Structure formats: structure tokens, C-alpha cells
């Protein structure tokens, strides 16, 4: 094992776009798999998605309408549904985001031609036709095979509106709201396993203090009437980034009986500057390092929030829902700045895997996450352009990690050498392991080193394995990408770099890559 240091003059880095600064070497590292000390189950909801009424996330990306020439089922794109089914998407959070706190559910039910058109004030002032409403969302989720996570308007609404929407969606009875749902075409109640009571109430969801919000939360949740028809997990708005004061006040004032989860939002901006976040393509190696440096901060933030939660909830009843995460770059030039459209490169794929490896460390608390956002917005898994669709590098990382859904975490102790550039050091790689429902042990590795390959030796301990197979996701450039209508540059291929000898697994892993292997 050795620490590798690259010191490059900033002026040189600035002119080199997406090209390696140093010739490749192989970093050696070792790890130990503790297969005799299994951890908790990695909840499949950790692989959740977030779909907001924002830009072309819903309109164009998900919903094209029944009369569209783009192949669809009841208005929902067939290509997108097929791609998401392959990801085994467990949960979709909807309708926002900031949008949720201006959303009135009655706008989105009944005959579409009678639904009001509103202004989407948060996202570019674009028209909101309301053609995608409650029934269309559940149709989408059911076509994909995902559970629903519905975000309730707390910021500009009241508990009555929430209660009536919940009743409309979930009541099996003969009450007027259930009858109304039936008259709109849905007999059986919808299942709402997760409900978010507000979104970012510290910001776009009402600019509240944590003290004020906790009172609001208690009021709203009282009228939620958690019970047989509404058994959904109640998620309180949690902190942004490392705001542990917010977590502290919420945990203290709400307690661990009135809520089932608390959210955490964290976005990765390469520069950390909201006015100039950095581009999604044509970035240099320093931007790569800065991006990983910032994304890995989430690990420390999760630990800090868990420490606060442990104080008020030692029984671990309350889960941590990282229900908005991912990269946030400058919008693609020429697109509406309010639509948050960005391209998605190999960097995003490796970053997604690095975050999965972090989430897997805390299976008891981190019970759900949702990447922002599913289609055409921020770190999208899918990009569309008219009738064309691309599965992004982030999509492929999600697909490679499918076996981790509901798998049992197995501790994997590793020491990762650092990669240093411009005074910043990131770990060359991170990794996680789990025993999947198919009985096999899987190991996922994100090699964040943009230059060097990795030779990783893992002591398998008590685990008996005869062979290893898997997939690798990499590409020639840091910003190789997949975009609609163009030949994809980043696609997973069979991985041939592993071997097992006795109780030792050796993996040769290319630079800037994701590898997921299965032990046979
Ligand atoms: O994902 C985009 C926005 O980011 C969401 O609407 C909001 O919750 C967050 O600030």
C-alpha cells in the first residue's frame, strides 16, 4: 500500500480539459471481508428515485400524453418505463421538491381538459398543465413496479388538504372521497407506503425555523391518522448538509413516536459555490477531485446526524431518508436555467457508486435515499430528447448495484490510499459488500482515482468462493457520456479482472471505474 501524491500547478490544471495529468500506475490496496459478522439488511428503498414537476422531468420525460407519437401506455413513455423496470426502482418520490409546497392535489384529478393550468413558480415559471396528477403518478409507479412516496404540501397548505388527499388515495370505504376516486377511474385504494410531511421547510418549503416546523409537523401528523388505511411511514423534514441543530430540534420536539423517518438533503457541487457550480462536461482533473471530495463529505454528515438521532432514539425507530442527493452542475448552456438540465458523464456514474458504498455503511439508519432526479433533471438516470432516450452512466451504476437491494450488509475493512491534487486528497476508491437475496456475496467498488488502476486484494476469511464474475463501467475520458440520439460512450461490460485463490480475492480495476463482482 502506498499513498500517491500528485502535485500539479493550478495553471497547468486549468488548461487541461478532461485529460490525465500524470501517467497511469497501479495503486495497491488490501481489505478484509468480515463474512462472519453480517450487518443489517440494506433496505431496497436505498435505491429510490425522485421525480419532481421540474423542467422535462415529468412533461416530455415521463408523460407525453395518450395522443403522442412517442410510444406510450396511457400517456406514459414505454421506453422510460422499460428502462426503469430494469433498475428495479423500489420507490419514487413525487411531486416535489419545492414544487410540492405549491401543489394542490385537486388540480390534478378529473378530466384532463378541465384541469387548471398553473405557473410553476419554482422552476422557470413554466406552465403546469396538471395533466400528470395523482392517477397518472400512480399509474407510472405501478407500471414501473415502484412504491409511492408522496410529498405533502405543508408550506402553503393545511392539514385538511393533506387529510383529504390521503383519504382520496387510500380509503377503501364508501366515503365521498373514495367514491370520487372511483368515479375518476380507480376502484382499489392506492398504496402510499411513505408520506413526506413537507419538503425543505427550512427553505423553499416555508422558510421555517426548526422550532416552528416541529410544531407544524406535529399538527399535520395528528390529522394524518396513521392506521390501517394509512400505514405509510411519516417522514419529517430533516436537515440540509451538516445542519445538526435542525436534526437536534426535530428529534427533540417531535420524538420517535410521531415520525418514522427524518430526511437529509445534500447536493454535490464541484465548486461548492451556488453561483458557479462547475460544468457537467469539459471539466479538468481538479474538478473531478473537488467533486469527489465534496460528495464524500456526506459520509461525515450522515455520521453526525446519526449521533444526534442516537441520543433521542436509541431504539433506532426513526430512519434517515437521504431523499435528495446527487450532483448539481451549471445548467447545460442554452437551456432554461430553471429546468436544471445537465449532462451525465462517467464522473456521475462513479460518484453514484461511491455514494451507494457510503449508504451501505449505515443500513440500520439509512433506510431510503432518492437521487435527484429520475429523468432530465440534475443527476438523471435517464435523458430524453423527443422520442430518443439515453441511459446515463448513473443509470448503469444503479443497475450494477441492483443485487444490493434488500441484501445483508457484510463489513469490508479496507485501507484506501489517497489521491491528491491541488492540495485536496480523496480516497482512491471505496467499496462495500453484501450477501444478496440470491445467496451470493457481491462487492461493489468505485475507483475514484482518475489516473491509476487499482490492484485490490481481499481476504475472504471464512467465505468459500470458487470464482468471481461481474461487470465494469468505465470509459476513456472522465467526461465520456451517453446522450439521447448518440452512440453511448459509457456502457458496462463483463469484468475479467478478478481471481480467487484459496481465501484471497484479487481484483484488477481500471482507473475511474465502477466494478461490481459476484463471488461464486
Ligand atoms: O431537486 C431540485 C430541488 O432541490 C428540489 O425541488 C428541492 O427540494 C431542492 O432544493
Amino acid at each position: 500500500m502506498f499513498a500517491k501524491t500528485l502535485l500539479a500547478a493550478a495553471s497547468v490544471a486549468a488548461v487541461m480539459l478532461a485529460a490525465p495529468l500524470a501517467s497511469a500506475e497501479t495503486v495497491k490496496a488490501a481489505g478484509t471481508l468480515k463474512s462472519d459478522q453480517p450487518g443489517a439488511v440494506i433496505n431496497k428503498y436505498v435505491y429510490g428515485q425522485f421525480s419532481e414537476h421540474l423542467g422535462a422531468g415529468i412533461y416530455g420525460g415521463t408523460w407525453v400524453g395518450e395522443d403522442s407519437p412517442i410510444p406510450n401506455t396511457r400517456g406514459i413513455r414505454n421506453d422510460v418505463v422499460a428502462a426503469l423496470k430494469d433498475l428495479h426502482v423500489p420507490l419514487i418520490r413525487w411531486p416535489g421538491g419545492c414544487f410540492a409546497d405549491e401543489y394542490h392535489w385537486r388540480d390534478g384529478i378529473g378530466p384532463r381538459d378541465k384541469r387548471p393550468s398553473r405557473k410553476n413558480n419554482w422552476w422557470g415559471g413554466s406552465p403546469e398543465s396538471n395533466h400528470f396528477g395523482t392517477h397518472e403518478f400512480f399509474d407510472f409507479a405501478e407500471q414501473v413496479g415502484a412504491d409511492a412516496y408522496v410529498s405533502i404540501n405543508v408550506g402553503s397548505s393545511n392539514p385538511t388538504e393533506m387529510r383529504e388527499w390521503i383519504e382520496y388515495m387510500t380509503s377503501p370505504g364508501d366515503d365521498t372521497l373514495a367514491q370520487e376516486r372511483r368515479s375518476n377511474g380507480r376502484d382499489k385504494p392506492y398504496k402510499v407506503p411513505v408520506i413526506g410531511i413537507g419538503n425543505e421547510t427550512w427553505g423553499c418549503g416555508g422558510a421555517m425555523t426548526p422550532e416552528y416546523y416541529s410544531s407544524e409537523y406535529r399538527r399535520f401528523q395528528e390529522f394524518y391518522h396513521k392506521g390501517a388505511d394509512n400505514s405509510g411511514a411519516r417522514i419529517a423534514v430533516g436537515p440540509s448538509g451538516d445542519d445538526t441543530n435542525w436534526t437536534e430540534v426535530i428529534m427533540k420536539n417531535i420524538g420517535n413516536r410521531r415520525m418514522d423517518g427524518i430526511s437529509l438533503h445534500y447536493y454535490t457541487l464541484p465548486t461548492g459555490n451556488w453561483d458557479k457550480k462547475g460544468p457537467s462536461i469539459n471539466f479538468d482533473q481538479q474538478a473531478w477531485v473537488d467533486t469527489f471530495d465534496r460528495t464524500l463529505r456526506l459520509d461525515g454528515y450522515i455520521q453526525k446526524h446519526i449521533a444526534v438521532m442516537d441520543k433521542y432514539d436509541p431504539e433506532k425507530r426513526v430512519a434517515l431518508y437521504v431523499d435528495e442527493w446527487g450532483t448539481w452542475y451549471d445548467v447545460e448552456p442554452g437551456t432554461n436555467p430553471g429546468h436544471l438540465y445537465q449532462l451525465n458523464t462517467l464522473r456521475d456514474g462513479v460518484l453514484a457508486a461511491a455514494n451507494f458504498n457510503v449508504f451501505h455503511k449505515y443500513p440500520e439508519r439509512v433506510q431510503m435515499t432518492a437521487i435527484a432526479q429520475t429523468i432530465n433533471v440534475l443527476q438523471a438516470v435517464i435523458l430524453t430528447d423527443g422520442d430518443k432516450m439515453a441511459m446515463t452512466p448513473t443509470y448503469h451504476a444503479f443497475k450494477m448495484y441492483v443485487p444490493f437491494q434488500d441484501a445483508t450488509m457484510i463489513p469490508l475493512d479496507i485501507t484506501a490510499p489517497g489521491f491528491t491534487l491541488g492540495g485536496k486528497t480523496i480516497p482512491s476508491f471505496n467499496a462495500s459488500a453484501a450477501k444478496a437475496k440470491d445467496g451470493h456475496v457481491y462487492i461493489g467498488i468505485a475507483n475514484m482515482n482518475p489516473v491509476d488502476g487499482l490492484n485490490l486484494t481481499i481476504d475472504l476469511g471464512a467465505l468459500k468462493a470458487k470464482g468471481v464474475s461481474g461487470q465494469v463501467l468505465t470509459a476513456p475520458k472522465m467526461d465520456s457520456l451517453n446522450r439521447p440520439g448518440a452512440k453511448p460512450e459509457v456502457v458496462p461490460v463483463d469484468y475479467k479482472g478478478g481471481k480467487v485463490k484459496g481465501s484471497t480475492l484479487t481484483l484488477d480495476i481500471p482507473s475511474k471505474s465502477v466494478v461490481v463482482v459476484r463471488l461464486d
Side-chain angles (χ1 to χ4, degrees):
M1 259 172 290
F2 58 93
K4 188 163 186 309
T5 302
L6 291 175
L7 289 172
S11 56
V12 176
V15 293
M16 296 196 68
L17 295 179
L21 283 177
S23 57
E25 293 177 20
T26 299
V27 170
K28 280 190 179 295
T32 308
L33 189 71
K34 306 253 172 90
S35 52
D36 53 340
Q37 297 168 35
V41 169
I42 297 165
N43 193 316
K44 65 178 179 180
Y45 283 175
V46 166
Y47 288 87
Q49 296 284 332
F50 171 35
S51 291
E52 180 169 14
H53 288 235
L54 195 178
I58 298 293
Y59 298 106
T62 307
W63 174 261
V64 287
E66 286 154 337
D67 300 331
S68 171
I70 298 174
N72 68 83
T73 301
R74 295 179 295 279
I76 295 161
R77 289 182 76 124
N78 292 344
D79 52 356
V80 163
V81 168
L84 293 176
K85 275 171 96 162
D86 282 348
L87 285 192
H88 298 247
V89 172
L91 186 76
I92 304 174
R93 178 172 181 251
W94 173 86
C98 298
F99 177 81
D101 278 289
E102 286 198 2
Y103 184 63
H104 298 284
W105 66 275
R106 283 205 162 276
D107 289 350
I109 58 167
R112 275 184 216 110
D113 58 351
K114 300 257 170 2
R115 297 185 193 174
S117 171
R118 306 277 183 210
K119 188 171 164 191
N120 190 334
N121 288 303
W122 287 109
W123 306 119
S126 303
E128 166 57 59
S129 68
N130 279 302
H131 283 189
F132 191 88
T134 301
H135 291 256
E136 291 79 11
F137 166 66
F138 279 96
D139 192 7
F140 171 51
E142 287 175 355
Q143 285 187 39
V144 168
D147 286 347
Y149 174 173
V150 174
S151 283
I152 294 297
N153 178 347
V154 167
S156 69
S157 183
N158 55 56
T160 306
E161 193 179 2
M162 172 195 72
R163 187 179 53 72
E164 290 181 350
W165 193 15
I166 298 286
E167 213 170 295
Y168 180 89
M169 292 186 283
T170 63
S171 173
D174 285 331
D175 46 276
T176 303
L177 285 163
Q179 297 293 11
E180 190 178 0
R181 183 191 68 234
R182 290 193 188 100
S183 70
N184 285 328
R186 173 71 177 207
D187 180 20
K188 271 198 319 191
Y190 293 118
K191 288 204 177 81
V192 188
V194 186
I195 175 167
I197 303 190
N199 169 72
E200 297 195 353
T201 41
W202 34 262
C204 67
M208 302 174 197
T209 63
E211 289 79 11
Y212 183 86
Y213 169 64
S214 29
S215 301
E216 281 293 276
Y217 176 93
R218 290 172 70 117
R219 194 165 73 100
F220 272 74
Q221 99 75 32
E222 208 56 30
F223 298 103
Y224 172 61
H225 298 301
K226 183 164 175 167
D229 300 343
N230 335 309
S231 53
R234 301 149 300 177
I235 311 306
V237 172
S240 169
D242 63 349
D243 182 359
T244 45
N245 177 55
W246 184 279
T247 310
E248 180 99 34
V249 176
I250 301 303
M251 291 300 297
K252 188 161 138 215
N253 291 2
I254 298 176
N256 71 358
R257 297 284 148 180
R258 288 188 170 92
M259 66 177 163
D260 305 298
I262 180 169
S263 69
L264 166 62
H265 289 185
Y266 179 64
Y267 283 100
T268 301
L269 283 61
T271 61
N273 175 356
W274 285 96
D275 295 328
K276 207 167 181 356
K277 306 170 196 73
S280 59
I281 56 170
N282 291 333
F283 51 84
D284 61 18
Q285 219 168 68
Q286 188 64 58
W288 172 285
V289 170
D290 293 348
T291 307
F292 282 93
D293 172 58
R294 289 200 171 268
T295 212
L296 294 174
R297 291 180 194 193
L298 180 56
D299 192 346
Y301 299 165
I302 289 174
Q303 287 175 28
K304 283 185 182 177
H305 294 300
I306 288 178
V308 176
M309 294 171 80
D310 285 348
K311 203 161 100 188
Y312 295 95
D313 175 38
E315 308 106 292
K316 299 194 193 306
R317 282 199 68 258
V318 180
L320 186 61
Y321 272 38
V322 189
D323 60 16
E324 287 188 31
W325 67 273
T327 53
W328 193 321
Y329 306 124
D330 296 333
V331 294
E332 187 56 9
T335 64
N336 185 330
H339 288 184
L340 310 187
Y341 180 80
Q342 63 190 38
L343 297 175
N344 196 293
T345 70
L346 178 62
R347 174 175 61 171
D348 297 276
V350 178
L351 181 141
N355 277 282
F356 300 151
N357 292 335
V358 169
F359 299 145
H360 294 169
K361 287 168 73 177
Y362 312 101
E364 286 181 332
R365 281 286 186 201
V366 179
Q367 300 262 338
M368 182 268 178
T369 89
I371 192 163
Q373 299 194 5
T374 317
I375 304 156
N376 294 329
V377 177
L378 298 176
Q379 193 180 344
V381 297
I382 288 173
L383 295 176
T384 64
D385 182 6
D387 64 349
K388 304 196 173 51
M389 181 193 81
M391 291 173 270
T392 66
T394 302
Y395 175 95
H396 291 301
F398 266 87
K399 191 153 176 218
M400 289 166 71
Y401 271 74
V402 164
F404 284 88
Q405 294 191 22
D406 283 339
T408 302
M409 185 268 236
I410 299 179
L412 174 61
D413 286 352
I414 47 167
T415 311
F419 179 86
T420 302
L421 188 65
K424 267 193 198 135
T425 301
I426 56 169
S428 269
F429 72 99
N430 72 1
S432 63
K435 185 166 187 180
K437 288 191 297 182
D438 65 9
H440 290 283
V441 169
Y442 288 79
I443 301 176
I445 303 111
N447 189 3
M448 298 174 269
N449 190 318
V451 180
D452 305 311
L454 170 69
N455 176 264
L456 178 60
T457 304
I458 298 177
D459 176 356
L460 297 175
L463 187 79
K464 299 270 170 280
K466 289 202 189 83
V468 54
S469 58
Q471 286 201 307
V472 54
L473 184 74
T474 190
K477 295 189 298 166
M478 295 185 290
D479 66 347
S480 294
L481 81 176
N482 303 340
R483 59 199 314 173
K487 187 166 181 278
E489 298 171 356
V490 191
V491 279
V493 295
D494 284 350
Y495 173 69
K496 307 276 186 213
K499 54 176 186 289
V500 181
K501 202 163 170 214
S503 62
T504 304
L505 168 69
T506 310
L507 302 170
D508 279 311
I509 293 171
S511 66
K512 49 180 177 4
S513 69
V514 179
V515 169
V516 175
V517 292
R518 186 181 87 174
L519 293 168
D520 297 310

